[in-house]
Amino acid sequence: MMAWATGWLALAGATLVLLAAIGVVRMPDIFTRMQAATKASTLGLGCLVTAAAIALPDSSSVVRAVSIAAFVMLTSPVSNHVIARAAYLTKVPLWKGTVVDEWSSSRDIQSSDW
Amino acid sequence: MGPDVLLRAALIMITLALFISLVRVIQGPTLPDRVVAVDLIGISSVCLMVLEAAVSKEPAFLDAAVVIALLGFLGTVAYARYAERKGRE
């Protein structure tokens, strides 16, 4: 029973990671690619980590698995925010169907200090 | 036919995901596109390590996954800092 739960969770996580990779190839510009990659892969990693924690039920493995999930869920939004900001500031072109770009009209766009 | 088939299928799908994101690393028109794809390859490698730990019942793969996750985050932030400073000059 537990082995089946591990198998189906692993399959769900692998499907999400595969969808993230397909999104990165198929989406039209960097910002849409980024949202495909970040959300799907983080959720897929969550499923896979749950599968590993069920497959290895001793306490040290569960703690390590949970810490991997917590670490990725904390750092993945930060790193993708930082890439998106760098991409926008280095004037990577937006998709031609982009509807709203609020940052382009604000004046403090170049006043970053890091 | 058992749960093992599902685990093997999951391993094959994640390996496929690694190669598909490699396409974006090769053809990505700008540098940030490549960095996003490399970041996804890092997360996919973490997934592969975690899954391999579940398949082979070997907890040492979880340690490798922690290290890969840390290095991927640091690499991405270092790149973004470099690119933004270069863009301002």
Side-chain angles (χ1 to χ4, degrees):
Chain A
M1 190 59 218
M2 280 310 188
W4 282 104
T6 305
W8 284 113
L9 274 171
L11 198 64
T15 309
L16 283 165
V17 173
L18 188 59
L19 284 176
I22 292 172
V24 162
V25 172
R26 301 263 311 162
M27 286 288 186
D29 76 342
I30 181 170
F31 302 101
T32 51
R33 269 172 215 152
M34 197 176 280
Q35 69 98 15
T38 311
K39 288 189 284 197
S41 66
T42 306
L43 186 57
L45 184 71
C47 289
L48 287 167
V49 159
T50 314
I54 293 174
L56 297 165
D58 58 315
S59 62
S60 74
S61 302
V62 171
V63 167
R64 270 180 283 181
V66 170
S67 70
I68 291 172
F71 183 77
V72 171
M73 281 173 191
L74 283 176
T75 57
S76 164
V78 175
S79 65
N80 277 277
H81 163 75
V82 161
I83 305 177
R85 185 187 155 89
Y88 193 92
L89 289 180
T90 52
K91 301 194 172 44
V92 172
L94 299 174
W95 181 39
K96 61 182 186 320
T98 303
V99 175
V100 60
D101 179 10
E102 286 184 344
W103 209 9
S104 66
S105 58
S106 75
R107 289 293 91 199
D108 58 352
I109 185 164
Q110 292 296 335
S111 69
S112 73
D113 58 355
W114 75 302
Chain B
M1 269 306 272
D4 267 0
V5 180
L6 299 178
L7 289 175
R8 301 290 162 199
L11 279 175
I12 291 171
M13 284 165 84
I14 294 185
T15 312
L16 205 61
L18 280 171
F19 282 105
I20 291 176
S21 26
L22 206 57
V23 171
R24 181 53 71 194
V25 177
I26 292 166
Q27 77 174 13
T30 63
L31 192 53
D33 286 304
R34 295 193 167 93
V35 176
V36 170
V38 168
D39 196 40
L40 182 63
I41 286 180
I43 293 187
S44 304
S45 316
V46 174
C47 291
L48 201 59
M49 291 284 171
V50 170
L51 189 55
E52 182 60 30
V55 169
S56 65
K57 310 271 189 222
E58 180 62 65
F61 283 109
L62 292 177
D63 297 330
V66 174
V67 173
I68 294 177
L70 236 162
L71 285 180
F73 172 65
L74 288 181
T76 305
V77 172
Y79 157 72
R81 194 187 154 94
Y82 155 79
E84 209 170 305
R85 183 183 292 168
K86 206 183 75 175
R88 253 190 305 152
E89 278 164 6

